[in-house]
Amino acid sequence: AGADVTVDNTTLNCEDNNENENYRTLVLHKDAVGGSIIATNVTFNIKGESNKASNAAVDGVVTIDGSEVEVAYIAYGNYYYGYTSLEDAIAAAKPGETIVLIRDITITDSITIAEGKEVIIDLAGHVITGSPVELKAYAVINNKGTLTINDSVGGGAIVCDHKLAGSTGYAVNTITNTGSLTINGGEIKMVSTADYQIGYAIDNNSGAGDAVVVINGGDFRFTGGKGGNQRILVAQNGAK
């Protein structure tokens, strides 16, 4: 526990004939609570597609040239694979696997769960904050597939922080759901300082099919906003 490792001015080589392996040259084990690996001016020679590092430790940090490299991990038995973006973790996740956040995430582009994709996200006490940068429709998470949100630690949240002036039109949401969405924990929050906004913490909108939201836990909030249509949860076009 509390292990600290510094790697400077060196080359790390990883070679293997199996290019399907998910290689890591720097690994912070899940038991290294509060530990760190700090790499500076390191050259990585890794065969096949891979990530440079992995961090599954509670409150652990892996940094490369001053940047913390991973935001989430997926557990495969006794192994933990980290991902440098939530989008990469979502793409890699198979049905039944849980993506666990290891730090707060700030984004501007929407995170999309594709139709037919099954994703489980454990906020684990961390916050996903999305902020629109253009005056147009926006959602922090746009779910077209099957999405489950958990918060095993408490204090986790998904927040839309809308700071743009003027009207964005329809609609700025925290989560837009046209698939199947289950909320078991965490806070789903819409924060707005816009002069006029149509937006929701959850916009459950069927569109071309049945959109379903199941709420088993969590907190849901809308704060701010000076005008427009602002609500916590809206079901539209036959959604359930």
Side-chain angles (χ1 to χ4, degrees), residues 1 16 26 38 45 114 129 135 166 202 216 221 237:
D16 194 286
L26 297 172
I38 300 174
N45 291 330
T129 302
L135 294 175
I202 299 177
N216 297 316
R221 301 176 186 273
N237 299 330

Side-chain angles (χ1 to χ4, degrees), residues 34-167:
S36 67
I37 298 176
I38 300 174
T40 306
N41 195 27
V42 174
T43 299
F44 296 87
N45 291 330
I46 309 173
K47 183 178 180 180
E49 295 184 4
S50 60
N51 291 325
K52 296 176 181 178
S54 184
N55 174 20
V58 178
D59 295 327
V61 176
V62 177
T63 64
I64 297 178
D65 293 330
S67 298
E68 296 181 4
V69 296
E70 295 188 335
V71 300
Y73 72 84
I74 299 174
Y76 301 94
N78 294 324
Y79 297 93
Y80 293 77
Y81 289 153
Y83 296 89
T84 57
S85 72
L86 185 54
E87 291 87 346
D88 287 346
I90 289 170
K94 297 178 177 61
E97 295 176 345
T98 297
I99 300 167
V100 183
L101 297 193
I102 58 176
R103 70 185 78 260
D104 295 344
I105 301 172
T106 300
I107 61 173
T108 53
D109 293 333
S110 296
I111 295 171
T112 298
I113 312 299
E115 186 175 355
K117 183 75 174 181
E118 297 181 23
V119 175
I120 304 170
I121 297 176
D122 182 358
L123 298 172
H126 298 288
V127 180
I128 302 171
T129 302
S131 299
V133 295
E134 297 182 74
L135 294 175
K136 63 179 185 180
Y138 176 82
V140 180
I141 295 180
N142 184 13
N143 178 48
K144 302 177 182 180
T146 301
L147 173 62
T148 300
I149 302 294
N150 300 323
D151 185 21
S152 61
V153 176
I158 303 171
V159 180
C160 183
D161 188 10
H162 180 203
K163 297 178 180 178
L164 295 177
S167 172

Side-chain angles (χ1 to χ4, degrees), residues 176-218:
T176 296
N177 179 58
T178 56
S180 177
L181 173 66
T182 301
I183 307 290
N184 294 320
E187 182 179 37
I188 311 300
K189 187 175 183 179
M190 181 77 216
V191 180
S192 176
T193 58
D195 293 333
Y196 180 88
Q197 177 189 345
I198 299 172
Y200 317 104
I202 299 177
D203 185 354
N204 194 44
N205 195 329
S206 285
D210 289 333
V212 178
V213 172
V214 177
I215 297 176
N216 297 316

